[in-house]
């Protein structure tokens, strides 16, 4: 469903996703349901992230306006995370949610194929998206129900590992989900989702070398240092040289990172209300901001380094939990450990994608669902 459907209550806009979160919260309160295994480290980090995202609004030019925006961000993120943590009670639930995701992706993929071939987005009937998809260098970039083609393609890329986790128990839906995920990536006609898919495949392949992950991390760090020494620009400018479908804006993303470092004194504590001077280009929807195409930096703009580091901390804790589950052979069967590994592969795909994409629509559901499933695994799910 697009973000065009919803109701307004005062300054708050309740899209379909937010209404569903509200229904879920009512169910939890009426039934007295609780999170599996109680609070764990990831839960506490998510709570700390939510609290600082809200309270940092007092340091901004318009505290009330900043608070309203941040409450919406926190409500979406922590609402999704909390509901999945409560509802996911077993590894079967993890697999069931992945299967449901596959079922939902199939019609989205079919519509995006139609959109790409016919240059018409049927989801426009619900509002929130244009009926005419964006065309770049003669190529239609389908976006389906999402706000941008890159975000649509990203959803396909990050869902791929979850589909692979279905392979043993639900072969049909695994195949359908994998095909749908790849179709969405291709229909989006964006370099970012293709690179994200490559990251997902790499993370899945690492299952065979899972006992050497620490070595892969050190090799990755060494490769980055070597690039930094070899290249005239900082090593992260390597993303400016990647253009798989034509018309890539990789240079913009690399320059944004450099600009954020140059202006760190403006945003390090609690974020900033003005980034327009960071880049030569701005955005049509704001006279005060440039296009923050980096989710980590978006956290920094909202709540400074504390919020960015708390967000990165949730990702790190998620990877740590996956590693613990994979190593604990007494608690998980080999197949169950592989399912957990696919959760880690999906999280890795998100982590890579965040360098070049900032989630600003319902695509954010997928990262917090991913983290919540990992949190539930940590809290005692058995095979």
């Amino acid at each position: 469903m697009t973000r065009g459907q919803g109701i307004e209550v005062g300054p708050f806009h309740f899209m379909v996703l937010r209404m569903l979160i509200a229904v879920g919260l009512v169910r939890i309160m009426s039934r007295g349901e609780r999170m599996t295994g109680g609070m764990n480290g990831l839960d506490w980090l998510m709570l700390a992230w939510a609290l600082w995202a809200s309270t940092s609004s007092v340091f901004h030019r318009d505290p009330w306006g900043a608070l309203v925006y941040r409450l919406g961000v926190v409500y979406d993120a922590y609402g999704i995370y909390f509901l999945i943590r409560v509802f996911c009670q077993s590894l079967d639930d993890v697999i069931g949610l992945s299967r449901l995701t596959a079922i939902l992706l199939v019609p989205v993929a079919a519509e995006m194929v139609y959109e790409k071939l016919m240059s018409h987005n049927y989801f426009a009937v619900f509002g929130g998206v244009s009926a005419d998809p964006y065309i770049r260098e003669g190529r239609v970039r389908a976006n389906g129900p999402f706000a941008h083609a890159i975000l649509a393609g990203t959803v396909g890329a990050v869902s791929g590992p979850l589909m692979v986790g279905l392979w043993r128990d639900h072969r049909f839906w695994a195949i359908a989900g994998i095909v749908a995920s790849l179709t969405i990536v291709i229909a989006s006609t964006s370099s970012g989702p293709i690179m994200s898919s490559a990251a997902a495949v790499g993370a899945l392949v690492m299952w065979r070398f899972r006992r050497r992950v620490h070595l892969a991390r050190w090799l990755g760090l060494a490769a980055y240092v070597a690039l930094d020494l070899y290249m005239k620009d900082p090593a992260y400018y390597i993303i400016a040289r990647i253009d798989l479908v034509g018309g890539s804006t990789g240079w913009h993303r690399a320059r944004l990172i450099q600009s954020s470092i140059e202006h760190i004194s403006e945003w390090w504590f609690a974020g900033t209300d003005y980034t327009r001077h960071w880049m030569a280009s701005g955005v049509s929807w704001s006279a005060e901001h440039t296009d923050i195409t980096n989710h980590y930096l978006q956290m920094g703009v909202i709540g400074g380094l504390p919020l960015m580091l708390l967000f990165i901390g949730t990702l790190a804790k998620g990877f740590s939990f996956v590693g613990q589950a994979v190593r604990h052979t007494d608690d998980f069967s080999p197949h169950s450990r592989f399912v957990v590994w696919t959760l880690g592969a999906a999280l890795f795909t998100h982590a890579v994608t965040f360098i070049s994409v900032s989630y600003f629509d319902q695509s954010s559901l997928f990262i917090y669902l991913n983290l919540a499933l990992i949190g539930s695994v940590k809290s005692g799910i058995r095979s």
Side-chain angles (χ1 to χ4, degrees):
M1 183 58 66
T2 70
R3 289 169 64 89
Q5 294 290 302
I7 58 175
E8 293 186 4
V9 181
F12 302 102
H13 185 196
F14 283 84
M15 290 80 73
V16 172
L17 180 59
R18 291 180 178 177
M19 289 189 282
L20 290 173
I21 291 172
V23 171
L25 293 175
V26 169
R27 167 187 150 161
I28 287 173
M29 290 185 289
S30 64
R31 296 187 180 184
E33 296 173 303
R34 297 289 184 271
M35 289 191 295
T36 303
M39 295 281 285
N40 59 43
L42 182 55
D43 301 331
W44 286 113
L45 276 171
M46 280 294 302
L47 182 59
W49 173 88
L51 290 174
W52 180 249
S54 303
T55 56
S56 61
S57 60
V58 302
F59 300 103
H60 286 254
R61 184 172 55 215
D62 178 13
W64 172 244
L67 178 61
V68 169
Y69 171 72
R70 284 158 174 74
L71 287 177
V73 172
V74 168
Y75 178 86
D76 292 346
Y78 199 77
I80 293 165
Y81 180 85
F82 179 71
L83 290 181
I84 299 301
R85 277 286 285 115
V86 172
F87 295 155
C88 187
Q89 300 287 328
S90 68
L91 196 60
D92 286 339
D93 290 338
V94 172
I95 295 173
L97 282 168
S98 297
R99 178 171 173 265
L100 179 60
T101 301
I103 294 171
L104 294 176
L105 288 179
V106 169
V108 173
E111 191 284 332
M112 288 180 64
V113 170
Y114 175 87
E115 181 181 348
K116 188 169 180 63
L117 294 176
M118 306 304 295
S119 298
H120 178 78
N121 188 347
Y122 261 116
F123 280 104
V125 70
F126 299 112
V129 297
S130 172
D132 302 315
Y134 181 70
I135 299 176
R136 186 176 66 185
E137 298 188 1
R139 299 182 179 91
V140 176
R141 306 181 71 192
N143 59 282
F146 299 95
H148 196 283
I150 292 177
L151 295 174
T154 295
V155 167
V158 300
S159 299
L162 303 182
M163 304 302 100
V164 175
L166 295 172
W167 189 260
R168 193 190 74 170
D169 297 325
H170 302 282
R171 185 69 55 88
F172 174 81
W173 285 112
I175 295 172
I178 292 170
V179 171
S181 297
L182 290 175
T183 300
I184 290 172
V185 170
I186 295 170
S188 71
T189 319
S190 305
S191 297
I194 295 175
M195 294 302 298
S196 297
S197 296
V201 172
L204 290 169
V205 169
M206 280 300 296
W207 165 253
R208 296 182 62 86
F209 310 99
R210 56 192 178 278
R211 293 180 178 84
R212 296 181 175 85
V213 169
H214 64 287
L215 177 60
R217 288 198 297 262
W218 283 111
L219 288 175
L221 178 60
Y224 184 87
V225 172
L227 277 174
D228 204 52
L229 294 173
Y230 174 76
M231 295 174 59
K232 294 181 180 179
D233 293 317
Y236 51 77
Y237 266 87
I238 192 69
I239 62 178
R241 305 183 182 185
I242 299 174
D243 186 0
L244 301 179
V245 297
S248 176
T249 55
W251 182 88
H252 172 97
R253 288 164 166 79
R255 184 66 181 90
L256 179 65
I257 297 173
Q258 184 176 352
S259 294
S260 69
I261 296 172
E262 294 170 350
H263 296 278
I264 193 170
S265 61
E266 302 170 4
W267 61 270
W268 74 270
F269 176 58
T272 179
D273 296 307
Y274 191 79
T275 61
R276 178 62 184 79
H277 60 303
W278 286 14
M279 301 288 290
S281 59
V283 289
S284 59
W285 60 88
S286 174
E288 299 181 332
H289 286 288
T290 190
D291 194 4
I292 308 297
T293 53
N294 183 306
H295 203 73
Y296 300 112
L297 292 180
Q298 182 64 32
M299 293 292 105
V301 170
I302 293 174
L305 279 178
L307 191 68
M308 180 192 289
L309 293 176
L310 283 169
F311 180 74
I312 293 174
T314 63
L315 302 181
K317 183 62 73 173
F319 287 126
S320 175
F321 284 177
V322 169
Q324 292 174 30
V326 170
R327 289 192 298 269
H328 290 178
T329 57
D330 293 338
D331 293 338
F332 295 90
S333 67
H335 172 67
S336 297
R337 283 184 280 133
F338 177 71
V339 172
V340 175
W341 184 270
T342 64
L343 296 179
L347 187 62
F348 177 76
T349 308
H350 281 291
V352 171
T353 302
F354 288 150
I355 297 173
S356 61
V357 178
S358 177
Y359 297 2
F360 59 87
D361 66 355
Q362 65 271 37
S363 57
S364 61
L365 178 151
F366 290 83
I367 178 58
Y368 298 111
L369 180 146
N370 198 165
L371 286 169
L373 293 179
I374 292 173
S376 292
V377 168
K378 170 62 178 177
S379 291
I381 295 176
R382 296 294 184 265
S383 59

